Amino acid sequence: MLSFSFKLTLISIALALLTVSTFSALLPPSEDYQPSNPYWNGLELFFKTTNATSINLAYDRVTPENSIIFMIGPSINLTQLHIEALRKYLLEGGTLIIMDETEAVNPILSGLGLNVSVYGYPMLDPVFYYGSWRIPKIINVDLTDVESIALNIPSTLNIKDSRLKILAYSSSFSFLDLDGDSEPSAGEPTGPFPIAAVTAYGRGCLIIFSDSSIFLNSIIILGDNLKLLQSITKGRRVFVDVGVWQPTPQLAYRNTVLNVYKAFSTPELKYSLAFTAVVLIYMLTHRGKPTPTMDEVNELVKKHPSWSRHLLEALKKARDKVAQRS
């Protein structure tokens, strides 16, 4: 028989897990680039604007025709299987957008057979910017209906492949901040620098940006960034490859909770689980408690005071004996 303290401990643990799981599912994530992150570093506006779908191209199949895949700020080393999936998607007619300001993206570019890389150093502009040198304003843009692009601590492209066409340059006042002091220093390269380029790839198209922040909630509203997004996604089904991000423990737990909820959200399983939970709680809270029984003799004597208590008790004992034998 379970002790009362043990029952209380089990119930407390269950309630704590339920509370943590509920808050994990209800509170929006704060990690970079997350589709449901409504804060400055999330992609909630991007997903709402494009009705994008999250995928992992290493395992998910996307029909190349009339679709576009965004790879934004990869934080893990992609497997050869993943890179081959990207290559196949492009060769069969898909459009791929790669966006990153770090050197982490360079193995992907070289894996696709392109002689282009991201420098990795931040590019600042003391003349053309939005509020801060760290948010350069790009005005040399070769894209329809796009006159300016806002960046957020971007880098630059090092293009050595003649197949790539440059789509946007920084201004001649921009500089690479090699020493990290946020000031132009002697020996630091100055602009203009390429920050976006495009190339045909098989039957598909590849566009590279040296900044992963262009479509974040806080940056997409600046310049013509929203027009840029609408221009390159127009008429296409939009996908975001989330398989290039390393999830934090908190995000992994939240995703697990949401997946479990989806798996058990069917009416049959939902009501079965609810019934099982009620039964378990009842067993934990009532097990071992004696079930009260009505004293039949006393009840009969109360209703019929003239009846003999002694005779009634004898009849009850005789009945109980017969019931035990049967």
Side-chain angles (χ1 to χ4, degrees):
M1 184 180 295
L2 296 175
S3 66
F4 175 76
S5 60
F6 184 66
K7 295 177 186 176
L8 184 61
T9 301
L10 288 178
I11 294 174
S12 299
I13 293 174
L15 289 176
L17 286 174
L18 180 61
T19 301
V20 171
S21 299
T22 300
F23 275 101
S24 296
L26 293 179
L27 294 177
S30 59
E31 289 82 1
D32 292 342
Y33 315 119
Q34 288 305 304
S36 54
N37 178 352
Y39 309 117
W40 72 270
N41 59 336
L43 287 174
E44 186 180 61
L45 288 177
F46 172 93
F47 270 76
K48 287 182 177 179
T49 301
T50 62
N51 195 28
T53 300
S54 298
I55 60 162
N56 184 341
L57 197 61
Y59 308 105
D60 299 323
R61 168 69 177 169
V62 175
T63 303
E65 291 78 11
N66 204 34
S67 69
I68 183 170
I69 295 178
F70 285 81
M71 177 181 289
I72 304 174
S75 58
I76 62 172
N77 294 324
L78 267 61
T79 63
Q80 191 59 37
L81 175 68
H82 203 145
I83 295 176
E84 285 301 319
L86 292 171
R87 185 199 307 276
K88 182 178 180 182
Y89 172 77
L90 284 166
L91 291 174
E92 294 179 356
T95 299
L96 177 64
I97 311 295
I98 297 180
M99 311 178 73
D100 194 30
E101 65 278 1
T102 74
E103 294 177 311
V105 75
N106 291 339
I108 301 172
L109 297 174
S110 62
L112 292 173
L114 298 171
N115 195 0
V116 58
S117 60
V118 175
Y119 270 115
Y121 291 100
M123 184 269 289
L124 311 181
D125 195 318
V127 176
F128 294 93
Y129 60 88
Y130 293 92
S132 167
W133 292 11
R134 293 174 173 269
I135 309 178
K137 179 179 182 180
I138 306 302
I139 59 174
N140 301 308
V141 184
D142 185 15
L143 288 165
T144 305
D145 298 327
V146 179
E147 296 182 357
S148 64
I149 301 174
L151 306 179
N152 179 39
I153 319 180
S155 187
T156 61
L157 296 176
N158 180 20
I159 300 174
K160 298 180 180 178
D161 197 320
S162 59
R163 293 173 295 175
L164 274 84
K165 173 188 175 183
I166 297 174
L167 295 177
Y169 286 96
S170 64
S171 79
S172 58
F173 301 97
S174 61
F175 65 96
L176 282 180
D177 189 23
L178 303 182
D179 55 14
D181 66 353
S182 300
E183 296 284 344
S185 304
E188 290 182 332
T190 57
F193 301 108
I195 57 94
V198 61
T199 182
Y201 198 106
R203 291 190 291 137
C205 175
L206 172 64
I207 301 177
I208 309 166
F209 290 92
S210 59
D211 184 16
S212 63
S213 305
I214 296 174
F215 300 129
L216 292 183
N217 296 331
S218 57
I219 306 298
I220 194 174
I221 57 177
L222 300 177
D224 289 332
N225 287 19
L226 188 56
K227 288 183 179 180
L228 170 65
L229 177 61
Q230 294 168 339
S231 175
I232 60 180
T233 61
K234 187 176 182 180
R236 296 186 176 97
R237 291 172 293 111
V238 179
F239 299 90
V240 176
D241 192 346
V242 300
V244 303
W245 301 328
Q246 178 66 50
T248 63
Q250 295 85 353
L251 184 62
Y253 181 76
R254 181 178 188 272
N255 290 338
T256 300
V257 170
L258 291 176
N259 289 334
V260 170
Y261 174 78
K262 290 178 182 177
F264 289 97
S265 61
T266 59
E268 296 82 4
L269 288 175
K270 183 165 54 178
Y271 293 127
S272 298
L273 287 173
F275 176 77
T276 303
V278 170
V279 171
L280 289 174
I281 293 173
Y282 179 83
M283 292 175 63
L284 287 172
T285 55
H286 290 80
R287 186 177 177 182
K289 291 184 178 180
T291 304
T293 58
M294 180 178 65
D295 190 330
E296 297 173 287
V297 174
N298 284 337
E299 291 297 322
L300 288 171
V301 170
K302 287 180 182 179
K303 293 181 179 179
H304 307 280
S306 61
W307 291 8
S308 170
R309 173 182 289 275
H310 179 72
L311 180 59
L312 290 172
E313 289 176 347
L315 290 171
K316 182 176 182 298
K317 287 181 180 179
R319 185 198 65 185
D320 292 344
K321 287 182 180 179
V322 173
Q324 288 176 358
R325 289 173 186 172
S326 60

